[in-house]
Amino acid sequence: GGYPAFANHPGVDFTIPAARAGMANALATVRKDFGATYPLLIGGKEVKTAETLDSYNPAKPSEIIGRVCQAGVKETQDALAVAKKAYLAWRDVEPLERAKVLFKAADIMRRDINELSALQVLEVGKQWDQAHADVAEAIDFLEYYGREMIRLGAPRRMGNAPGEVNQYFYQGKGVTAVIGPWNFPLAISAGMAAAAIVCGNAVVYKPSGLSSVVGYGIARIFKEAGLPDGVFNYLPGKGSVMGDVLVEHPDVSVIAFTGSMEVGLRIQEKAARVQPGQVQCKKVIAEMGGKNAIIIDDDADLDEAVTGVLYSAFGFQGQKCSACSRVIVLDPIYDRFVSRLAEAAKSIKIGPSEDPSNAMGPVVDTAAQANIIKYVDIACSEGKVLVKRTDFPADGGCYVPLTIVEGIDKSHRIAQEEVFGPVLAVMRAKTIDEALDIAGSTRFALTGAIYSRSPKHLEKARKEFRVGNLYLNKGSTGAMVERHAFGGFNMSGVGSKSGGPDYLLQFMDPRLVSENT
Ligand code: NAD
């Protein structure tokens, strides 16, 4: 009612000088706040803690983005108590009014898009265009979920039996713990939080320790958008210290999590156990990892396939749940594709993401760097090295070698375990059936893609390439809100697709009132 139909925020073109200058200025602006201390925000009040965690620039770890206060057990309990109280008022606010807060927050993000993007470039090492795309996705979530709530907020009349009027409607489930990853530091967290909020829940938000300064921005934006205090609480803290407290607390009704399989499974297990005083079954929405494959058919357009695989595998250093980490190549085209892929991978420019001419930057921190290097060694011992780029800046930045290995089969660890870095396994298949079998041979089912000119093979993939998001003749990353509603199944997660038409339903309980008239 009254709002234009949803449309995705447009992409940015950094070949335009004004766009480039806007980003350069924003980088300088954001730098001015470096080293500031960020408090928790509970019920609208700043809470400082003795313990802080430094968030640093992965391209230059000596550069501190911010010192972030860390919630312990007490602060977690306090935030949950505040959220419980705020929920009781917020759940009865009209859906349209709740949606308007999201639209206002989207306006603020559009206004601040350069600064919000610049902060990601510096805090997690995103390339300019990718950082911009993350903020655009956050805007899209706000605009889309706002409209979705308006749609779902209209009470529905059920049946037409004479003598009764039946109304079907929804209410927010309660206190929602939102636990976010660092890799889409604004979009994923803002999306989960916005969904919870617009459905009438109150949120306690735990950002990743690697992107807590970006996470603070979400709190600032919701406050400026007029969200009542206590409906969104910012609670950075260590998973090992307060993660279980948050998940196990009897007052938590929903846990919206995006992150690794290991943590997602732990949360589901903990949330299943009913605690003393708990009066509801907890709902867990967990979006987890992937081991995504792209199939290269023997008649594929190689110009498109090489570009698509490179971008999917190495964009943002391969640190996307949707990243391609296996490329399955049909025998007849194998040599041609692989030599072109390797050639192109050797020309990728590596260096700090702050310089927009670099296509690949550092990984997110020293721990990720060590873990990925361990997997580079595993890949190189299991297969034959095609590319191993060690020509990155040797200046203490968190760089890892871009690595491509061949000779990998289903049984190898590098074909089964999520690396979350720029490591690509090349696998050979004799037929399209074998390629599809290899593609489906992991416990994950998140994204996948196939490059083929054969309508028959594309149709086969549509049916048998069983992943949450399948792309035909395009890469496996870059899902857009609504158009490519996103999420997987099997060990890639439980819950419905974010940015899709079923997502909000997970945050609400349906009610029916039947009146005898
Ligand atoms: P992670 O699992 O290490 O951390 C995610 C969040 O969980 C962080 O906020 C972390 O602090 C928190 N956490 C850690 N231990 C906890 C505990 N015991 N209790 C509660 N919370 C705890 O993941 P990450 O490194 O931030 O993100 C990368 C992972 O996320 C990859 O596996 C990637 O595939 C996945 N991911 C999935 C999607 C998707 O939509 N399916 C999107 C982005 C990222």
Side-chain angles (χ1 to χ4, degrees), residues 156-162 164-167 512:
R156 262 194 282 171
R157 182 156 177 191
M158 307 296 281
N160 53 7
E164 66 174 32
V165 174
N166 305 310
Q167 269 197 340
L512 183 126

Side-chain angles (χ1 to χ4, degrees), residues 137 141 144-145 148 151 188 191-192 195 257-258 283 285-288 322 445-448 465-471 476 479-490 492-507:
E137 188 178 353
F141 278 132
Y144 179 70
Y145 291 148
E148 280 292 285
R151 173 175 74 83
I188 290 180
M192 292 191 290
F257 167 84
T258 305
K283 170 90 183 179
I285 303 152
E287 317 229 25
M288 315 192 300
S322 56
L446 192 51
T447 71
F465 199 154
R466 295 174 202 274
V467 291
N469 284 54
L470 179 68
Y471 300 97
S476 66
M480 309 278 282
V481 169
E482 192 202 32
R483 279 161 60 191
H484 316 133
F486 187 80
F489 47 91
N490 290 354
S492 292
V494 54
S496 189
K497 287 175 173 302
S498 65
D502 305 324
Y503 191 71
L504 293 191
L505 296 175
Q506 307 174 104
F507 293 82

Side-chain angles (χ1 to χ4, degrees), residues 89-108:
W90 181 245
R91 68 175 169 188
D92 290 328
V93 171
E94 284 302 314
L96 177 62
E97 295 309 311
R98 300 196 305 248
K100 282 182 182 165
V101 174
L102 268 56
F103 299 147
K104 184 80 213 300
D107 287 340
I108 296 165

Side-chain angles (χ1 to χ4, degrees), residues 119-156:
L119 186 56
Q120 297 195 14
V121 171
L122 296 166
E123 192 173 28
V124 298
K126 274 213 176 193
Q127 286 71 35
W128 285 22
D129 54 340
Q130 308 235 2
H132 208 274
D134 179 81
V135 182
E137 188 178 353
I139 293 167
D140 288 351
F141 278 132
L142 293 163
E143 295 284 356
Y144 179 70
Y145 291 148
R147 284 166 176 75
E148 280 292 285
M149 192 61 235
I150 293 171
R151 173 175 74 83
L152 294 167
R156 262 194 282 171

